Amino acid sequence: MLPEEVLREAQTELLDWHQTGMSIMEVGHRGRAFQSIVEQTEADLRELMDIPDNYHLLFLTGGATAQFSMVPMNLFAKKNHADYIDTGIWSKKALTEAMRFGQVNIAAQIEYQEGLACIPKEEKWSLNPDAAYVHYTPNETIEGIEFNSTPKTGQVPLVADMSSSILSQPINVRDFGIIYAGAQKNLGQAGISLVIIRDDLVHEPAIPTPILYSYKLHIDNKSLYNTPPTFAWYILGLTVAWVKRQGGVKTFAEINQHKAQTLYHFIDSHHEFYNNTVHPDCRSRMNVPFNLSQVNLTETFLQAAEKEGLTNLKGHRLAGGVRASLYNAMPQQGVDKLIEFMKDFARTHG
Ligand SMILES: *Cc1c(COP(=O)(O)O)cnc(C)c1O
């Protein structure tokens, strides 16, 4: 979901953006009006995430999926092998794509202890100190698995797919070589992605690369080589400004922690009816998947929830079950309402 304030702002300004007499969809992307959005969005993100000057911000198309290709295409230069941490469906998609361009070493893989999914301890990872980079997915959106700290990779640049966790808590950008995120979970609407890339990683791609897949090209052109998705960029800007107004990432870290804790606590204290199969050490604060012990009641549960206005709860088509996504725009009241519903449902069907 998007913050209601953002939707209302967009609605108010839809026909006439800042006295231009035009919708933001109609102004030229190289004109002064749009340029002010570009500059404000970058300034807000730099402030919110404390992004140092030696990092570039890019606003690109193709979603996080395009980044699965762009990362190896641009970073496989002197070396064409990288380490990937496989924690779930999104990291598997990223590493499968990287295999088309070079060698992939799966340095660690999700484990199961007594039926609970666990991220193996870093001491057990088989990292190659000579790798071009290490790629990982801080939050696995589908399985609801999240790292509770940033991996240490020494001199090897760390690349993170933060699509479903960006701006949900403070991070130290200096720990990363590249951070990328599709906007549609925590940054706004679909159609645009944010890439934060350290300057020393920017060079001409070593392999023949479609022109739009070169980081250097986009940096040289300030993400305006071709027509960008201007409306999506605008919504991203409004969303980032909203995060700032609410108090920034520290505030959201507390709110998000509390939202997730209340839901996990409820699930765990009703394990005869609901269950989550992720180890408490790596449970996601953003996506809480759970199953009903009586699996055949799942469809009934989803339909009854929908009637209460509790929507988008169906688990990803690859995972099944139920999934509650608790992105920044979801208020605590949304979680409380879900819990009340789950209580009632368990009472009537238990
Ligand atoms: C949603 C998601 C993606 C896919 O993003 P697209 O914008 O659809 O390409 C990739 N990685 C993660 C972690 C996601 O949550």
Side-chain angles (χ1 to χ4, degrees):
M1 65 190 286
L2 281 161
E4 189 172 319
E5 262 178 62
V6 166
L7 293 173
R8 291 203 184 279
E9 268 181 282
Q11 182 185 44
T12 308
E13 301 181 331
L14 192 67
L15 297 186
D16 182 7
W17 185 82
H18 291 200
Q19 281 94 50
T20 53
M22 281 180 280
S23 164
I24 194 67
M25 285 181 263
E26 299 166 300
V27 308
H29 63 284
R30 295 184 199 284
R32 250 178 18 138
F34 192 72
Q35 196 52 41
S36 68
I37 290 182
V38 169
E39 284 166 15
Q40 191 61 49
T41 305
E42 170 153 350
D44 285 347
L45 277 166
R46 283 194 183 274
E47 185 187 326
L48 272 174
M49 297 180 71
D50 182 25
I51 302 173
D53 290 342
N54 62 324
Y55 285 77
H56 303 274
L57 271 67
L58 295 174
F59 299 87
L60 306 179
T61 53
T65 305
Q67 296 310 309
F68 295 168
S69 323
M70 270 182 100
V71 167
M73 283 174 131
N74 286 270
L75 265 49
F76 282 166
K78 279 174 233 131
K79 302 165 186 173
N80 72 339
H81 55 93
D83 288 346
Y84 275 71
I85 312 302
D86 174 8
T87 45
I89 289 164
W90 288 119
S91 35
K92 268 193 194 67
K93 286 204 172 169
L95 72 89
T96 307
E97 180 62 8
M99 282 173 178
R100 302 177 58 223
F101 304 102
Q103 222 179 313
V104 165
N105 166 42
I106 299 176
Q109 217 162 9
I110 200 81
E111 295 171 348
Y112 294 88
Q113 291 174 9
E114 293 164 15
L116 297 182
C118 296
I119 299 171
K121 298 248 176 314
E122 273 174 67
E123 302 89 80
K124 294 202 281 176
W125 295 9
S126 61
L127 291 175
N128 176 355
D130 190 42
Y133 60 90
V134 178
H135 180 283
Y136 85 119
T137 312
N139 182 59
E140 286 283 359
T141 323
I142 297 172
E143 296 90 339
I145 295 169
E146 186 171 17
F147 284 73
N148 59 26
S149 63
T150 305
K152 306 259 176 306
T153 55
Q155 292 304 304
V156 182
L158 181 61
V159 177
D161 173 2
M162 283 197 198
S163 295
S164 53
S165 54
I166 194 147
L167 294 188
S168 68
Q169 63 179 356
I171 53 154
N172 186 357
V173 173
R174 293 159 189 82
D175 291 339
F176 298 88
I178 296 181
I179 292 169
Y180 64 86
Q184 66 270 32
K185 281 123 187 175
N186 250 350
L187 287 175
Q189 65 160 90
I192 194 161
S193 7
L194 170 68
V195 179
I196 304 169
I197 178 169
R198 206 173 62 209
D199 190 54
D200 62 288
L201 298 175
V202 179
H203 45 71
E204 295 290 348
I207 47 173
T209 299
I211 190 157
L212 280 179
Y213 276 60
S214 158
Y215 287 132
K216 186 167 188 311
L217 172 113
H218 289 298
I219 288 164
D220 292 345
N221 292 278
K222 300 189 182 309
S223 309
L224 295 172
Y225 177 79
N226 68 325
T227 316
T230 48
F231 195 76
W233 200 326
Y234 159 72
I235 294 290
L236 193 155
L238 292 182
T239 308
V240 166
W242 173 81
V243 171
K244 234 176 85 173
R245 283 201 303 280
Q246 303 302 304
V249 285
K250 275 211 187 98
T251 304
F252 279 100
E254 283 167 26
I255 299 171
N256 290 330
Q257 186 66 30
H258 192 258
K259 284 187 296 186
Q261 251 169 19
T262 41
L263 186 50
Y264 284 120
H265 176 75
F266 174 81
I267 292 170
D268 290 344
S269 53
H270 292 76
H271 59 91
E272 71 295 339
F273 206 83
Y274 301 107
N275 59 80
N276 164 282
T277 53
V278 179
H279 194 281
D281 287 352
C282 57
R283 280 174 164 181
S284 167
R285 297 158 310 119
M286 294 282 102
N287 313 94
V288 181
F290 58 90
N291 288 303
L292 277 72
S293 308
Q294 304 172 56
V295 179
N296 59 338
L297 277 180
T298 308
E299 206 43 53
T300 317
F301 176 92
L302 291 169
Q303 280 171 14
E306 183 103 29
K307 281 207 190 96
E308 295 296 316
L310 295 158
T311 55
N312 290 333
L313 281 167
K314 196 176 166 70
H316 190 278
R317 65 196 148 82
L318 296 174
V322 185
R323 175 178 55 165
S325 287
L326 313 179
Y327 298 123
N328 283 354
M330 173 62 70
Q332 179 70 42
Q333 297 93 288
V335 179
D336 296 342
K337 184 170 173 180
L338 172 63
I339 290 173
E340 277 312 306
F341 168 78
M342 289 169 73
K343 242 185 232 164
D344 283 349
F345 191 85
R347 213 177 290 131
T348 12
H349 295 85

